[in-house]
């Protein structure tokens, strides 16, 4: 079973989002996603400052046998990227919701966050997709 | 067995025979252009090099040493004579830019090869220049796009690709500047015609199909597929990966395909060489003929010559500096002359016989087939997903255990839509005894999976190395012998 | 039946196991309208001895001439050991080394090849090969467009010293993606560095230069490299690998070195063979490796901690990444790389240096001899192992007459370089003896004076 913390928002592409105190939104891949991918060997991150439209691919997570795009469900500007992942992609496996965050976005419309799934809905989504 | 790197055999000042120093002196060039250091290449004797690379060769599986039932790869015997004759000094010594008047021997072989390949595929014309299947695909899609552009039909930018397709299909479409639309496969392995009708439209440039498909079955509705795509204004591309299954039995041209690439390193038995060279000749019907990549060999009277951009102004251009993998094309030519029309039909007959026999035997031994109600083409799919659920032994474990039994593994985890699959292609050149021995090995591994799954998961144990740490290989990249370590 | 092992009895037993009556039954899923009874327009099969006679006679048709053509394919001596070992069945008939445990021979050899190419080029990482020099150049340009994060430009600025054949191929391959080559004018066979100022501030993903150029000349690669870097462009070097034994390698160009190098691997032990199979090499700086197309081998350890080799970074490739792969390339030129690796091991840096010097001196001797003839002049003074000669008359009849005398005189440049009309590119590798060179000079002298007298 994978973890789905209560305080986060989720997407059907298995990304999580968290509104931070400074108004930015952190984004990463869920525990379920990192388990499905297996040991990550590389994370490709965007340039800080680049602009994304909701639904754009903003990062790539790569294991030995697969590479997956990570989609940004919000429009906005990249405020920061997790530089540690350049040398330690395994952080995404070890700590998907904390040390393994990917990017921090300044959203154009913070309210859009509320339209995403909560932990319970995502848990349900996972259960259904396993059937 | 461990063989050190060639660099570890190196000693400063040691040399193999070569040019004696006496014949030359330093370069007559300004110092700014010259190299100051000496590149760190190994310094070994001829015997050391010969022994090292011979010993390395012995760490490989190959067709010459092992049964190689690798699905979609057609690992058939490569006749020795094809290599020997293609390496005749008259062929290897000919400069590609030498005058055609002094290359009539080579050009006549190429012209006849074009004619024979057109005949066995039912196409109007053939260009031999693409250097691999993927480059043949590129040529094909580029010609489809050139055709639409020439008609002012610029909106057609979408290439339809079945979900079971080889990864080169979508990658090729992108290289040609197209968009890719995936098409679902029906439960019996045929294309979902309703989905196809929904998919086509004024944006459709074409569809890329393999027939028999990568699922190991013949697409029975191919004529209807062709009608739907053509009526929508698109063209049909035939990926020749599985041409071995129908050689002399059916013609892609008659199925409605407009363009085809052939993998000469599969169907026409040129070597796989540990990864290449391949050769991806393309054939087209009349409407695409003006767009063929150049050069093509033409014949005027009894003389052969290159046809270039001047003769073919609408050509998609050149895909290689000269004319593709010429020496490989010679091997395919020699193979086709050895087999002749009868021998080529036997290829499909016995490849199909071997595949269906192997499929029947494995099914009766309890293996689960992906398409049990279908004929196998020249290959078929076994899924071990039930075994995985019960014992934890995966298709990958099965593949590794086969190595210990002295068989190369089948293709695993392709096509992607069949879970825990083994795609098995025996080819026509394997004997019944070898097929039976393979069945015995499969059965033995299956039994072991139930009795002692950990033993299967530990395989291979008899290879030069055990399973390798792929994660470490990708995280801690070590892609070249460090210069400071080479003595 | 050639290469089919089945006896009639076995066929019957196998059909019985399948539950079919005849082999025809096995094709019953093919619609009747599509089934054929045989192949027209294909000759009957021949015995091995007959095919052998046929091929011997065809090969004999093409022999007997002495070639002074280079232009991207070079005739060098290949030690007997190279192809004797490379065509061992264990290399020749092996598949791509996806099953690493059963392919350590090919994998270790490719790792050694990658190491040798890195050493020759002065760059960090090599792939396991591309099809040929021309497609390697195209892939290098595509790679630069992807890798250059400082610009979104889809243009590559190239010298006209990059082989016209390579530029044609790159244009054909890149056209669909809207990536274009912009050509820098030539002056005296090389780029006029001062004229680069006109392009300053323009946006290019990369600058490409061939060293030595197609014309045999040498560009100021240090200045080009620094100019590219100052303009946020990557630098692609196209090099004959033999020349890297003696000329400054791309990794040492300018202040920071080139970013990508590529070229034709044929001079490393591959016969000229009517144009193929050859192999393209591609090397780059380490940070660009994930944008590199094609297979790459890495060294790692097995479950017991023992060193071993495996294909790595496969998530870049089409079989995993499908439509988002770095390239559609799958099959490469593995067998050619096998031969090239053995060739480099046998020659070593010293052997390559001697060959490079011998080619240089032979071509100088040839160019000096030919340009001493009335009506022939040497166009450029500084060159590696190819020289450009200008004639006072159309080349075609001269080259035809030479060919009739058993001499391939060179490559006429007029089509690709209109400014070099009636110019011929000649090359004399270490294979050409002093007698052959002298015979060319003497024959051409006679032809020119005969036609003058006529």
């Amino acid at each position: 079973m994978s973890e789905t913390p209560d305080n986060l928002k989720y997407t059907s592409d298995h990304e999580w989002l968290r509104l931070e105190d400074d108004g930015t939104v952190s984004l990463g891949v869920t525990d379920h996603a990192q388990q499905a991918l297996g040991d990550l060997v590389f994370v490709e991150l965007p340039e800080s400052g680049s602009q994304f439209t909701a639904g754009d691919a903003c990062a790539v997570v790569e294991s030995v046998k697969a590479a997956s795009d990570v989609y940004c469900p919000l429009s906005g500007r990249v405020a920061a990227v997790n530089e540690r992942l350049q040398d330690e992609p395994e952080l995404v496996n070890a700590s998907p919701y904390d040390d393994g965050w990917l990017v921090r976005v300044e959203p154009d419309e913070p309210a859009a966050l509320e339209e995403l799934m909560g932990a319970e809905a995502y848990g349900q989504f996972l259960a259904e997709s396993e059937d | 067995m461990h063989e050190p790197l060639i660099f570890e055999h190196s000693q400063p000042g040691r040399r193999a025979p070569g040019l004696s120093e006496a014949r030359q002196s330093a370069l007559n060039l300004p110092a700014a252009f010259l190299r100051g250091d000496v590149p760190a290449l190994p310094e070994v004797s001829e015997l050391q090099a010969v022994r090292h690379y011979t010993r390395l060769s012995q760490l490989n599986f190959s067709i010459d040493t092992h049964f190689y039932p690798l699905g979609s790869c057609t690992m058939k015997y490569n006749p020795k004579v094809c290599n020997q004759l293609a390496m005749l000094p008259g062929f290897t010594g000919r400069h590609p830019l030498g005058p055609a008047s002094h290359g009539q021997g080579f050009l006549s072989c190429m012209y006849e090869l074009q004619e024979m390949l057109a005949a066995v595929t039912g196409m109007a014309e053939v260009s031999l220049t693409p250097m691999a299947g993927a480059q043949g695909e590129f040529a094909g899609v580029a010609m489809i796009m050139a055709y639409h552009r020439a008609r002012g039909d610029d909106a057609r930018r979408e290439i339809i690709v079945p979900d079971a397709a080889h990864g080169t299909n979508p990658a090729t479409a992108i290289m040609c500047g197209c968009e890719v639309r995936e098409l679902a496969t029906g439960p019996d392995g045929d294309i979902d015609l309703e989905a196809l009708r929904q998919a086509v439209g004024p944006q459709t440039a074409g569809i890329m199909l393999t027939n028999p498909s990568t699922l190991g079955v013949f697409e029975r509705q191919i004529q209807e597929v062709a009608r739907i795509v053509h009526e929508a204004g698109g063209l049909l591309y035939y990926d020749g990966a599985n041409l071995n299954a129908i050689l002399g039995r059916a013609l892609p041209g008659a199925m409605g395909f407009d363009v085809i690439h052939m993998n000469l390193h599969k169907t026409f038995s040129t070597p796989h060489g540990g990864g290449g060279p391949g050769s991806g000749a393309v054939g087209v019907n009349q409407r695409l003929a003006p767009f063929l990549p150049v050069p093509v060999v033409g014949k005027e009277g009894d003389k052969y010559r290159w046809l270039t951009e001047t003769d073919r102004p609408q050509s998609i251009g050149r895909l290689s500096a000269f004319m593709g993998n010429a020496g490989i094309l010679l091997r395919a030519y020699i193979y086709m002359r050895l087999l002749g029309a009868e021998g080529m039909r036997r290829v499909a007959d016995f490849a199909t016989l071997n595949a269906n026999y192997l499929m029947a035997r494995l099914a009766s031994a309890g293996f689960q087939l992906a398409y049990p109600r279908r004929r196998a083409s020249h290959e078929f799919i076994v899924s071990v997903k039930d075994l995985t659920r019960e014992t934890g032994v995966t298709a990958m474990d099965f593949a590794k255990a086969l190595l210990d039994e002295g068989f190369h593994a089948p293709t695993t985890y392709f096509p992607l839509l069949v879970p825990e699959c083994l795609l098995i292609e025996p080819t026509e050149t394997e004997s019944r005894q070898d097929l039976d021995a393979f069945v015995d090995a499969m059965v033995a591994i299956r039994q072991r999976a139930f009795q002692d799954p950990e033993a299967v998961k530990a395989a291979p144990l008899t290879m030069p190395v055990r399973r390798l740490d792929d994660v470490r290989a990708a995280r801690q990249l070590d892609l070249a012998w460090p210069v400071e370590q080479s003595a | 039946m050639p290469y089919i092992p089945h006896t009639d009895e076995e066929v019957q037993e196998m059909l019985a196991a399948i539950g079919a009556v005849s082999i025809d039954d096995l094709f019953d899923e093919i619609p009747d309208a599509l089934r054929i009874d045989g192949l027209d327009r294909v000759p009957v099969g021949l015995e091995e001895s007959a095919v052998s006679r046929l091929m011997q006679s065809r090969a004999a048709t093409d022999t007997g001439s002495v070639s002074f053509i280079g232009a991207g394919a070079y005739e060098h001596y290949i030690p007997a050991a190279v192809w004797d070992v490379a065509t061992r069945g264990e290399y020749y008939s092996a598949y791509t080394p996806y099953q690493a445990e059963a392919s350590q021979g090919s994998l270790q050899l490719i790792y050694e090849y990658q190491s040798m190419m890195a050493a020759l080029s002065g760059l960090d990482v090599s792939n396991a090969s591309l099809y040929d020099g021309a497609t390697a150049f195209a892939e290098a340009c595509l790679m630069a467009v992807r890798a250059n994060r400082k610009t979104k430009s889809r243009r590559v600025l190239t010298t006209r010293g990059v082989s016209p054949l390579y530029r044609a191929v790159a244009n054909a391959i890149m056209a669909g993606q809207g990536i274009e080559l912009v050509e820098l004018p030539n002056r005296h066979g090389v780029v006029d560095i001062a004229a680069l100022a006109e392009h300053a501030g323009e946006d290019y993903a990369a600058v490409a230069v061939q060293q030595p150029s197609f014309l045999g000349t040498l560009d100021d690669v240090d200045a080009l490299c620094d100019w590219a870097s100052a303009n946020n462009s990557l630098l692609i070097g196209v090099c004959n690998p033999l020349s890297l034994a003696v000329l400054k390698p791309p990794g040492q160009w300018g202040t920071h070195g080139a970013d990508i190098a590529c070229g034709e691997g044929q001079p490393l032990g591959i016969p000229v063979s009517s144009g193929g199979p050859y192999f393209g090499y591609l090397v780059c700086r380490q940070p660009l490796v994930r944008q590199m197309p094609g297979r790459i081998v890495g060294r790692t350890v097995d479950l017991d901690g023992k060193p071993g080799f495996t294909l790595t970074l496969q998530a870049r490739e089409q079989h995993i990444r499908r439509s988002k792969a770095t390239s559609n390339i799958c099959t490469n030129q593995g067998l050619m790389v096998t031969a090239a690796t053995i060739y480099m091991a046998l020659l070593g840096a010293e052997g390559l240096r001697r060959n490079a010097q011998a080619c240089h001196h032979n071509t100088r001797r040839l160019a000096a001899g030919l340009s001493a003839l009335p009506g022939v002049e040497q166009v450029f003074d500084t060159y590696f192992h190819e020289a450009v000669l200008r004639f006072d008359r159309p080349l075609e009849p001269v080259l035809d007459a030479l060919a009739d005398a058993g001499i391939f005189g060179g490559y006429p440049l007029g089509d690709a370089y209109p400014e070099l009309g009636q110019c011929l590119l000649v090359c004399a590798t270490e294979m050409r003896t002093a007698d052959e060179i002298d015979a060319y000079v003497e024959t051409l002298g006679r032809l020119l004076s005969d036609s003058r007298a006529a």
Side-chain angles (χ1 to χ4, degrees):
Chain A
M1 266 310 283
S2 60
E3 281 183 49
T4 48
D6 285 342
N7 57 336
L8 304 180
K9 290 292 187 182
Y10 297 90
T11 72
S12 55
D13 294 315
H14 308 287
E15 290 102 10
W16 60 260
L17 297 99
R18 179 170 59 220
L19 183 62
E20 306 292 350
D21 294 342
D22 61 1
T24 63
V25 173
S26 298
L27 179 147
V29 299
T30 65
D31 192 27
H32 170 85
Q34 70 79 17
Q35 280 180 24
L37 283 160
D39 291 325
L40 291 195
V41 297
F42 186 68
V43 178
E44 185 184 320
L45 295 169
E47 302 267 339
S48 248
S50 44
Q51 198 75 32
F52 285 98
T53 309
D56 284 356
C58 66
V60 182
V61 286
E62 187 183 307
S63 68
V64 173
K65 300 274 182 261
S68 293
D69 286 323
V70 177
Y71 298 97
C72 185
L74 305 175
S75 300
R77 196 185 66 91
V78 176
V81 298
N82 188 353
E83 301 284 355
R84 281 182 71 192
L85 300 180
Q86 301 291 0
D87 293 323
E88 300 172 84
E90 58 271 26
L91 288 176
V92 177
N93 295 116
S95 173
Y97 298 112
D98 293 302
D99 294 343
W101 66 277
L102 301 176
V103 299
R104 217 155 267 162
V105 181
E106 278 172 23
D108 295 343
E109 293 175 59
L113 197 60
E114 292 312 312
E115 290 160 27
L116 303 175
M117 284 182 273
E120 198 175 327
Y122 179 64
Q124 187 112 27
F125 172 76
L126 284 181
E128 280 165 13
S129 52
E130 269 162 29
D131 288 341
Chain B
M1 179 175 150
H2 171 68
E3 173 62 21
L5 289 165
I6 188 77
F7 301 95
E8 297 172 275
H9 291 295
S10 179
Q11 283 298 323
R14 189 181 278 157
R15 295 205 59 225
L19 284 184
S20 57
E21 186 68 65
R23 277 176 58 193
Q24 51 286 147
S25 52
L27 295 190
N28 204 332
L29 290 173
F33 294 123
L34 301 180
R35 182 164 193 150
D37 61 342
V38 177
L41 298 183
E43 298 178 79
V44 296
S45 71
E46 179 166 324
L47 173 59
Q48 283 182 305
V50 167
R51 189 173 286 160
H52 172 72
Y53 290 108
T54 302
R55 285 169 66 100
L56 283 189
S57 79
Q58 292 170 334
L59 305 182
N60 274 359
F61 274 29
S62 66
I63 301 173
D64 283 4
T65 53
H66 295 82
F67 178 37
Y68 227 120
L70 203 55
S72 97
C73 302
T74 311
M75 299 296 284
K76 64 169 82 175
Y77 173 59
N78 306 145
K80 298 292 175 190
V81 67
C82 298
N83 181 53
Q84 192 192 64
L85 295 176
M87 297 285 273
L88 287 171
F91 293 129
T92 56
R94 184 184 170 276
H95 194 284
L97 300 171
S101 56
H102 289 62
Q104 291 291 300
F106 169 72
L107 287 171
S108 65
C109 295
M110 294 300 101
Y111 181 81
E112 291 171 15
L113 179 60
Q114 287 173 185
E115 295 286 297
M116 287 193 289
L117 291 174
V120 301
T121 55
M123 307 308 285
E125 278 197 53
V126 165
S127 166
L128 302 170
T129 68
M131 292 177 282
Q135 221 194 16
E137 290 180 34
F138 179 91
V141 176
M143 282 190 273
I144 288 174
M145 296 306 286
Y147 169 81
H148 291 312
R149 257 199 315 278
R151 293 154 49 92
D153 204 351
D154 292 337
R156 298 189 179 274
R157 304 203 66 83
E158 196 171 88
I159 294 285
I160 301 172
V161 175
D163 51 7
H166 197 258
T168 49
N169 289 176
T172 295
I174 296 296
M175 274 189 96
C176 291
C178 301
E179 278 154 34
V180 176
R181 177 186 274 228
E182 279 216 344
L183 189 65
T185 304
D188 58 357
D190 286 336
I191 282 176
D192 181 340
L193 287 183
E194 202 35 54
L196 178 63
R197 286 192 193 97
Q198 300 292 322
V200 296
Q203 79 290 354
T204 303
I207 185 169
M208 300 179 84
L209 290 177
T210 311
N211 194 19
S213 73
T214 56
L215 301 170
V217 294
F218 190 86
E219 173 57 61
R220 292 170 292 192
Q221 311 165 105
I222 183 61
Q223 292 154 298
E224 183 60 11
V225 170
R227 200 182 58 76
I228 293 170
V229 174
H230 280 147
E231 279 180 5
L235 298 185
L236 277 85
Y237 177 88
Y238 184 95
D239 180 324
N242 294 340
L243 185 62
N244 215 54
I246 58 162
L247 199 60
R249 282 281 177 179
L251 303 172
M255 295 176 204
F257 286 96
D258 300 282
V259 49
I260 165 176
H261 92 262
M262 297 149 262
N263 291 303
L264 303 187
H265 51 295
K266 297 181 181 176
T267 317
F268 301 101
S269 197
T270 66
H272 281 78
S279 192
V282 283
V284 290
N285 59 15
Q286 287 297 354
R287 66 172 143 187
L288 288 180
F291 307 103
L292 275 176
V294 289
V296 176
V297 183
K299 186 178 185 188
E300 286 159 9
D302 59 351
K303 295 282 180 225
Y304 302 91
R305 74 170 180 94
W306 296 115
L307 304 179
T308 64
E309 294 89 338
T310 322
D311 308 280
R312 299 288 176 100
Q314 287 186 288
S315 165
I316 59 162
R318 285 174 186 266
L319 300 178
S320 70
F322 302 109
M323 67 92 36
N325 283 333
I328 298 302
L329 295 165
L330 276 173
R331 287 166 174 83
Y333 173 75
I334 295 161
Y335 178 77
M336 292 185 89
R337 293 305 305 264
L338 285 162
L339 263 59
E342 276 303 298
M344 276 183 250
R345 186 181 170 94
R346 276 196 296 267
V347 164
D349 284 4
F350 287 86
T352 305
L353 177 68
N354 275 359
N356 280 282
Y357 174 73
L358 202 49
M359 180 169 85
R361 287 223 46 208
L362 287 172
S364 63
F367 282 91
Q368 193 182 1
L369 303 175
Y371 296 98
R373 279 188 287 280
R374 300 290 310 264
R375 287 276 186 218
S377 58
H378 64 319
E379 63 187 353
F380 61 96
I381 300 172
V382 163
S383 170
V384 297
K385 69 170 193 283
D386 289 354
L387 189 72
T388 307
R389 196 160 50 224
E390 288 172 52
T391 68
V393 169
T394 64
M396 172 69 77
D397 299 325
F398 232 95
K400 301 302 182 192
L402 277 167
L403 302 179
D404 277 335
E405 301 285 337
F407 296 98
H408 194 278
T411 299
T412 51
Y413 300 103
F414 178 82
L416 304 169
L417 62 155
V418 183
E420 299 299 333
C421 67
L422 301 168
L423 179 60
I424 301 173
E425 179 184 2
T427 83
E428 72 278 10
T429 56
E430 295 299 327
S431 72
R432 183 193 165 174
Q433 288 72 31
D434 287 313
L435 302 182
D436 288 340
F438 178 74
V439 173
D440 292 345
M442 291 284 286
V443 170
I445 293 166
R446 192 156 182 274
Q447 277 170 355
R448 207 178 315 140
F450 285 113
Q451 291 155 3
D452 186 2
E454 290 312 308
V456 181
K457 295 183 84 59
L461 294 168
T462 61
M463 295 290 105
V465 291
R466 296 185 62 198
R467 288 193 207 184
L468 292 155
D469 188 343
D470 289 335
V471 173
R472 175 188 161 124
R475 279 186 186 160
Q476 299 169 39
L477 290 176
D478 176 355
L479 309 177
W481 178 246
V483 170
E484 61 270 21
Q485 283 181 36
S486 51
Chain C
M1 294 184 284
Y3 318 121
I4 308 281
H6 304 61
T7 65
D8 290 343
E9 199 178 6
E10 284 172 334
V11 171
Q12 292 312 317
E13 286 166 6
M14 292 169 78
L15 285 170
I18 296 166
V21 175
S22 68
I23 287 181
D24 282 347
D25 286 357
L26 304 178
F27 295 92
D28 55 10
E29 290 193 358
I30 301 180
D32 288 345
L34 296 178
R35 283 202 256 170
I36 55 170
D37 290 330
L39 292 166
D40 302 332
R41 296 187 292 144
V42 178
V44 296
L46 297 176
E47 288 173 5
E48 182 170 321
S49 58
V51 174
S52 178
R53 273 194 301 277
L54 172 76
M55 298 308 287
Q56 303 269 3
S57 77
R58 299 243 171 127
T61 311
D62 298 353
T63 50
S65 301
V66 178
S67 170
F68 293 89
I69 311 174
Y74 304 96
E75 192 184 342
H76 294 293
Y77 183 73
I78 304 170
V82 171
W83 283 95
D84 190 83
V85 177
T87 51
R88 286 178 62 89
E90 297 94 327
Y91 289 128
Y92 188 82
S93 72
Y95 190 67
T96 303
Y98 289 129
Q99 290 291 338
E101 300 88 347
S103 314
Q104 286 295 298
S106 289
L107 287 164
Q108 180 171 334
L109 181 142
I110 295 167
Y111 178 86
E112 292 179 0
Y113 162 79
Q114 291 172 183
S115 306
M116 291 177 189
M117 294 315 295
L120 266 185
S121 64
L123 288 163
D124 304 322
V125 188
S126 166
N127 75 0
S129 75
L130 298 165
Y131 307 131
D132 74 350
T135 59
F137 175 63
E139 288 281 12
C141 293
L142 292 172
M143 175 179 167
V145 169
R146 287 192 302 273
N148 192 338
R149 292 183 117 189
K150 291 181 180 159
T151 166
K152 289 195 158 49
S153 168
R154 298 179 78 75
R155 298 191 305 168
V156 173
L157 189 63
T158 177
T159 67
R160 295 183 72 243
V162 172
S163 165
L165 300 165
Y166 291 12
R167 283 182 274 132
V169 171
N171 281 324
I173 290 177
M174 304 192 305
Q177 296 178 70
I179 297 171
E180 81 181 289
L181 293 177
V182 178
E183 295 181 355
L184 282 163
N186 251 3
R187 201 175 153 207
H188 303 308
V190 293
V191 166
D192 181 359
I193 298 294
L196 275 176
E198 289 173 28
H199 295 276
E202 293 173 13
D203 215 8
Y204 296 101
V207 176
V209 55
Q210 180 169 325
Q211 180 86 331
S213 79
F214 186 76
L215 305 172
T217 54
L218 296 166
D219 267 291
D220 186 348
V221 284
D222 296 320
L224 273 165
C225 202
D226 289 343
W227 186 87
S229 154
N231 284 275
N232 289 332
S233 303
L234 299 180
L235 194 286
I236 300 170
V238 184
C239 301
N240 178 334
L242 177 67
S243 77
L244 297 178
V246 290
L247 299 182
K248 189 190 282 185
Q252 296 173 18
W253 293 354
T255 314
H256 307 292
D259 299 284
I260 301 169
C262 63
E264 177 54 71
Q266 178 273 329
L268 300 172
I270 315 297
V272 285
S273 195
S274 285
Y278 298 168
F279 70 95
Y281 77 86
L282 184 65
V283 286
C284 70
R285 292 191 300 108
Q286 176 89 26
L288 302 182
V289 68
R290 280 169 197 278
Q291 294 302 336
M292 183 176 256
R295 298 172 184 142
I296 300 175
V297 170
R299 191 162 59 146
T300 181
V301 295
D302 74 359
L303 282 173
D304 295 335
K306 190 174 145 186
F309 302 87
T310 184
L311 291 170
T312 191
L313 299 178
Q314 293 188 69
R316 300 163 298 116
E317 295 185 68
Q318 48 73 29
H319 61 284
I320 290 179
R321 206 69 167 106
R322 297 178 77 84
S323 62
K324 289 181 176 168
T326 47
S327 166
N328 71 341
I329 191 168
C330 177
T331 298
N332 61 19
Q333 304 284 115
L335 186 65
M336 304 297 123
V337 161
T338 305
T341 307
I342 300 169
Y343 179 87
M344 285 190 275
L346 285 170
L347 268 76
E350 176 63 15
L352 291 178
R353 180 183 70 81
R354 290 181 188 185
N355 274 8
Q357 290 182 352
C359 294
H360 177 74
H361 284 283
N362 271 354
T363 300
R364 286 184 69 83
R365 179 190 176 110
L366 174 67
L370 294 175
S371 60
L373 299 170
V376 183
E377 61 171 354
Q378 201 166 318
V379 183
F380 310 120
D381 297 330
T382 305
Y383 54 87
F384 171 54
H385 75 352
E386 284 178 273
V388 178
L389 302 167
R390 181 175 282 120
F391 283 61
D392 65 355
R393 69 195 70 193
L395 285 173
E396 202 179 318
V398 177
L399 290 173
D400 285 348
L402 280 169
D404 289 343
I407 294 169
F408 295 169
Y411 181 74
L413 290 165
D415 284 348
Y417 297 89
E419 70 275 25
L420 296 173
Q422 299 187 9
C423 286
L424 188 67
L425 184 68
V426 297
C427 175
T429 66
E430 89 285 1
M431 291 289 278
R432 296 287 75 88
T433 63
D435 285 350
E436 288 169 341
I437 292 169
D438 295 346
Y440 182 9
V441 174
E442 193 190 315
T443 308
L444 181 65
R446 206 174 52 239
L447 286 171
L448 295 179
S449 62
D450 284 357
S451 64
R452 194 166 286 118

